[in-house]
Amino acid sequence: MRKLLVAAMALLAFGLNSTAEAGSITARISISSQTMTVTQNGLLLHKWKVSTARKGYVTPTGSWKVKWLSRNHRSRKYDNAPMPYAVFFNGGYAVHATSDVKRLGRPASHGCIRLNPSNAAIFFSLAQKHGLSNTKVVVTR
């Protein structure tokens, strides 16, 4: 009986751990504060500076599931510009790394959401680990 109880507890613990791994990831981008928070199942994991669209361009607002990932993406629209760790959420719009880190915290992009490369790598990894269907991007004014 004791062995059965220990085995049941081990299975339960394994099941709870697996559920946490499959948790939902949400990136909330605030255009007004130029920040992105990342939560897992509602718990804050990260808060980072971003750059969204500069004057003359638009970062769309809304809520989307992540559509696809591209580790070493290059823009077909903007002169083959590098977009490392791209997490695409709405057509050609993505959260991705930038080498122009001095502009983080203020509008500077053509519409994508730019992050420090180390932060972009973390977000990319979270989306990859938890799955695209479990990763959401929410952009607000």
Side-chain angles (χ1 to χ4, degrees):
M1 179 70 171
R2 184 165 190 222
K3 284 183 182 178
L4 183 60
L5 183 59
V6 169
M9 289 175 61
L11 282 173
L12 180 61
F14 177 76
L16 291 175
N17 199 14
S18 295
T19 302
E21 291 295 312
S24 67
I25 300 296
T26 302
R28 294 185 189 283
I29 296 89
S30 167
I31 293 172
S32 62
S33 68
Q34 293 292 294
T35 58
M36 175 171 141
T37 58
V38 180
T39 59
Q40 180 179 3
N41 297 326
L43 298 174
L44 181 65
L45 298 178
H46 305 284
K47 184 174 182 179
W48 300 313
K49 289 182 181 180
V50 298
S51 287
T52 60
R54 66 182 184 246
K55 190 174 182 175
Y57 295 92
V58 173
T59 297
T61 58
S63 179
W64 302 269
K65 293 281 187 183
V66 169
K67 305 295 189 267
W68 59 290
L69 305 174
S70 181
R71 167 68 181 79
N72 293 304
H73 194 77
R74 293 216 168 246
S75 172
R76 284 173 261 174
K77 189 172 183 178
Y78 296 109
D79 300 321
N80 210 31
M83 298 169 60
Y85 300 109
V87 177
F88 286 89
F89 60 91
N90 180 20
Y93 291 98
V95 176
H96 65 81
T98 182
S99 59
D100 197 7
V101 294
K102 67 184 180 301
R103 295 174 121 188
L104 292 173
R106 61 182 188 229
S109 79
H110 286 117
C112 285
I113 297 150
R114 296 179 180 178
L115 283 170
N116 180 292
S118 61
N119 299 338
I122 291 168
F123 182 58
F124 183 92
S125 176
L126 285 168
Q128 200 170 42
K129 178 179 179 181
H130 295 279
L132 305 185
S133 64
N134 293 320
T135 307
K136 187 178 356 178
V137 174
V138 178
V139 181
T140 60
R141 293 258 166 241

